[in-house]
Amino acid sequence: MLFINDSKSTTVASTCAAFLTVLEYFPPREIVLMIGGQAKKTSWEPLLRLLDEQRDRLRGVVCFGRDGGMLKRELKRVKIDGVETPNLKSA
């Protein structure tokens, strides 16, 4: 299993860019996206659309931190199940 820490992705746009980079450089691998912390007031639509389009490569999504529950609810809108955990350590 390969772990990539992209804690620099603090916006939806940077998370999308990081996800696309992983898709490109690690084509045969399935991805578990760990996303969380404190959400910015922005639209999640670009990320939700990307995850929906790439669901065959998406093994799971772990939502954590203060806004983990909100992120999990956003994922449900595109029928992606997320797992909520209180923090990154417990993920």
Side-chain angles (χ1 to χ4, degrees), residues 18-71:
F19 192 82
L20 287 168
T21 300
V22 171
L23 289 173
E24 180 182 350
Y25 285 94
F26 302 98
R29 295 183 187 255
E30 291 182 315
I31 298 167
V32 175
L33 177 64
M34 299 171 73
I35 186 170
Q38 183 176 347
K40 312 288 189 286
K41 293 187 187 252
T42 187
S43 172
W44 289 94
E45 288 306 314
L47 180 61
L48 295 174
R49 203 168 30 253
L50 176 61
L51 296 179
D52 188 38
E53 291 168 359
Q54 298 297 326
R55 66 176 56 242
D56 59 317
R57 295 274 309 274
L58 192 63
R59 175 119 187 225
V61 181
V62 179
C63 306
F64 63 91
R66 189 183 91 179
D67 292 325
M70 182 273 302
L71 294 166

